[in-house]
Amino acid sequence: MTLPDLARPARRVADAALVAPRLAFNAARYGLLPAPASAALVLLREGLSGLPWKAIGDALVRIAQSSGPLTTTLGQVCVRLEALYTRQPPMRGRQLATTLKVAFPHGLPFRKFDPRPIAVGSIAQVHRAELKSGTHVIVKLVRPGLQREIDRDLNAAELLCDLVLTLPGLTSKTTRRALSNAVRDLGAALRAEVDLRREAQSLDDFGRRLRGNPRVRVPKVYRECCSARALVMEELVGEPLSAYRARAKTDPDAARRVADLAFKEILKQVFEDGRFHGDPHAGNLLILPDGRLGLIDLGLTGESGRQDRQRIARAVRAFVSGDPEALTRALLDFGVPPLEFSYDEFKADVVKVVRQSESQVVAQMMGRNGHRAGGSNGLETLVNELFRVAYRHGLYVPPSATLLIKAIVTIEGVARSLNPNLNVVAMAVPIVLRSLRPQWLSWRYWKDRSLARLPGGGFVPS
C-alpha cells in the first residue's frame, strides 16, 4: 500500500469535516431564511399549484449554487434546478485575471480579450477573443481551484455515503448500491469535464471525421493555445436552433428543414459514425449562413458500437409493437441487474409505466400527434420514468448507455419542438438499417481499407 493510499482515509475525514459545516450554514442562510419571500414570489408568478415543492426546489438551487461543484452538478439532474445552468455568477475580475495567468503562463495569445463572459456554467465560463493573427475565437476557462473543490466534495460525499449506508435499517441494499454507483460515476464525469484537453481532442476527432460531410461543421481548435484549464477554438457564427424554435410559427418550412437536418445528422453520428455529440440541445447546435449544422460544446461525447445499436433497435421495435416481454428484456440488456433482482416485478413496473403514455408516444413517433409549445415531450417523460423503474429495482445502467439514450431523446425533443409532425420512425429506420448491415456491404468499409493500405502493400499500424 502506498503513502497516498494510507493518507486517503484521513483526507476523506478532513474533507468531510470541512464540507459538512459549510453545507449546514448554506442550508440555513440560502435555503431556510429566504424561503418565505421566495415562496411568496412563486405564489404570485405561478399560482398555488405545487407551491411547496417549487419553493423547496428554489431553496435547493440557492443552496447548491453556494456549496461547490458537486452539489451544483447533482442539482442539475433535477428539472426544477435547471436554473443552475444560467444563474451561476461569473468570475470576479481578480479571479479572471488569475485564471488567465495560470492558463496562459507564457502570456496571452490574444490581441483582444472580452472580459464579459458570454456563458457561465458550474465548471467553466466562456469568452470571446481575437488571436494576434486577427482570427475571432471562443475561449473556455475552467474556474480557479475547481479540481481541489471537486476532490474535496467527492471525498466528503464518499465518506458521508459510507456512514449513512452502514446504518442498519435506514436504506435497502438496492438503494445503497445505486447511491454508491451514482457517486462513483459522478466523480469520474466531473474529473473528466474539468480537463479541457479532452474537449480539445474531441473537437479534433469530430473535425477530422466530419471534414468530408457537406452538411456539418465543427469549429477548429487551436491546440497550441489549449491546456487542461483553457480551450481556444474558432468562433462559429450562426443561429442556434432555439432561434428557429422561436419563429417556427412564422416560418414553419425553415423550422422543418432545420429539424430534419439536426435529427438526421445526430442519429447518423450515433448509428453510423459510432461517436456522437452527448448533449445536442438547441443551444449547442447552430445553423450557419451556408446552411450547414454547426456543432459546439463537445465536452460531452459518447461512443456507440454495433451492440448498442442493436439494443436500441430491439427496444424501439418491442415498444412500437406493444410486446411487453420483448421490451422488458430489451431494457434489461442496457444494464446489470443485482443478485436479488425480481424479473416479474420489474416487468410489471415497466408495463405500468408504458401503458400510461404508450398511445401518446407512439402517435408522436409516427408524426400523428403535434408537440404543443411548452408541452411535455412524451418520449422524454417515458424514458425518465423507465430510468426511475431501473433505479428502484437496482438495475445498474452504465453512464455510456445512459448518455446514448439521453442523446437520442434530447435530439428527438429538439427536432419535434421545431416540427411537431416529425415522423421519427420514417426518418430513423433507414439510418438504423444501414448501421446494422454487415460491414463489408458498406462503401465506407472498403474505402477505409483502401486508404489504410501503404504503397508497399502493408497496412498503417493502428
Side-chain angles (χ1 to χ4, degrees):
M1 183 174 289
T2 64
L3 284 176
D5 291 332
L6 293 171
R8 181 168 172 76
R11 172 60 66 85
R12 290 172 66 188
V13 172
D15 286 339
L18 285 173
V19 170
R22 186 189 68 196
L23 290 177
F25 174 76
N26 288 341
R29 179 181 178 185
Y30 300 103
L32 296 178
L33 294 180
S38 174
L41 289 175
V42 172
L43 178 63
L44 290 174
R45 290 195 308 260
E46 305 178 31
L48 189 60
S49 176
L51 176 62
W53 296 110
K54 292 175 182 178
I56 291 172
D58 288 341
L60 289 174
V61 169
R62 295 190 297 270
I63 295 169
Q65 285 176 326
S66 57
S67 300
L70 177 61
T71 51
T72 299
T73 303
L74 282 170
Q76 288 167 347
V77 175
C78 305
V79 175
R80 184 67 181 172
L81 302 185
E82 285 181 355
L84 288 176
Y85 286 109
T86 55
R87 294 186 196 169
Q88 287 298 310
M91 287 187 253
R92 301 187 191 93
R94 184 175 297 178
Q95 284 181 308
L96 179 58
T98 301
T99 301
L100 287 170
K101 186 175 181 179
V102 172
F104 304 103
H106 303 297
L108 296 184
F110 313 116
R111 177 194 295 172
K112 296 178 182 177
F113 181 87
D114 190 344
R116 297 167 300 178
I118 58 176
V120 179
S122 59
I123 300 294
Q125 68 183 44
V126 182
H127 296 258
R128 284 192 172 93
E130 184 180 323
L131 295 177
K132 292 178 180 178
S133 63
T135 304
H136 293 276
V137 294
I138 295 295
V139 183
K140 187 173 183 179
L141 298 169
V142 173
R143 290 175 171 272
L146 195 64
Q147 183 66 63
R148 175 62 192 124
E149 285 187 47
I150 288 174
D151 288 340
R152 183 191 62 207
D153 287 356
L154 285 171
N155 284 335
E158 289 171 2
L159 178 62
L160 294 174
C161 278
D162 289 346
L163 291 175
V164 171
L165 297 180
T166 54
L167 296 177
L170 185 62
T171 57
S172 67
K173 188 181 294 185
T174 297
T175 301
R176 290 197 294 270
R177 186 184 298 109
L179 285 175
S180 178
N181 288 334
V183 171
R184 183 192 65 208
D185 293 341
L186 178 62
L190 277 172
R191 290 184 174 112
E193 192 173 352
V194 169
D195 190 347
L196 293 182
R197 291 173 297 189
R198 294 173 179 267
E199 185 171 351
Q201 185 62 52
S202 293
L203 285 165
D204 266 351
D205 291 344
F206 273 74
R208 185 166 51 252
R209 288 188 301 101
L210 297 173
R211 190 172 296 136
N213 188 333
R215 297 173 297 278
V216 182
R217 173 86 184 279
V218 178
K220 175 184 176 181
V221 60
Y222 295 89
R223 295 297 293 269
E224 67 277 7
C225 301
C226 297
S227 65
R229 297 174 177 271
L231 173 68
V232 181
M233 58 184 169
E234 172 190 13
E235 179 179 10
L236 294 186
V237 179
E239 283 191 283
L241 264 63
S242 53
Y244 284 85
R245 178 190 296 164
R247 62 170 188 266
K249 289 184 178 180
T250 58
D251 194 357
D253 290 339
R256 279 194 293 269
R257 287 195 302 271
V258 167
D260 291 355
L261 172 65
F263 187 67
K264 286 181 179 178
E265 290 304 323
I266 296 298
L267 278 195
K268 285 179 181 178
Q269 289 179 15
V270 171
F271 288 100
E272 294 182 3
D273 296 345
R275 192 167 185 200
F276 57 91
H277 196 311
D279 191 20
H281 64 72
N284 282 342
L285 304 175
L286 307 176
I287 300 299
L288 306 182
D290 59 7
R292 284 184 292 177
L293 180 70
L295 305 180
I296 61 174
D297 197 357
L298 285 165
L300 187 61
T301 63
E303 295 185 2
S304 57
R306 185 176 179 83
Q307 193 174 35
D308 296 314
R309 302 162 195 166
Q310 291 173 336
R311 288 170 179 161
I312 292 287
R314 282 197 296 268
V316 172
R317 183 170 62 241
F319 176 76
V320 173
S321 62
D323 186 341
E325 185 76 29
L327 177 60
T328 303
R329 294 195 176 278
L331 294 176
L332 279 175
D333 283 345
F334 285 105
V336 180
L339 293 176
E340 66 275 14
F341 182 76
S342 171
Y343 176 81
D344 291 335
E345 292 179 6
F346 178 72
K347 177 183 173 183
D349 281 351
V350 168
V351 171
K352 181 180 178 181
V353 167
V354 169
R355 283 178 177 169
Q356 291 174 348
S357 57
E358 182 178 12
S359 59
Q360 177 195 1
V361 175
V362 171
Q364 282 189 354
M365 292 176 68
M366 304 296 285
R368 297 195 301 260
N369 184 18
H371 174 80
R372 296 188 304 273
S376 63
N377 183 345
L379 180 61
E380 182 179 11
T381 301
L382 172 65
V383 168
N384 287 337
E385 289 299 323
L386 289 175
F387 271 123
R388 291 189 183 98
V389 169
Y391 173 83
R392 286 201 303 270
H393 288 268
L395 183 69
Y396 174 62
V397 182
S400 57
T402 303
L403 183 62
L404 171 65
I405 296 168
K406 287 292 189 182
I408 295 174
V409 171
T410 297
I411 192 58
E412 187 272 346
V414 169
R416 186 174 303 286
S417 70
L418 295 167
N419 178 11
N421 298 315
L422 177 74
N423 190 325
V424 173
V425 175
M427 292 184 66
V429 164
I431 298 173
V432 175
L433 289 179
R434 282 199 303 271
S435 72
L436 294 177
R437 67 188 176 187
Q439 282 188 324
W440 57 269
L441 285 178
S442 68
W443 164 248
R444 177 178 295 180
Y445 172 79
W446 295 105
K447 180 182 178 182
D448 290 345
R449 285 178 65 87
S450 65
L451 290 176
R453 285 188 179 276
L454 293 173
F459 286 89
V460 175
S462 57

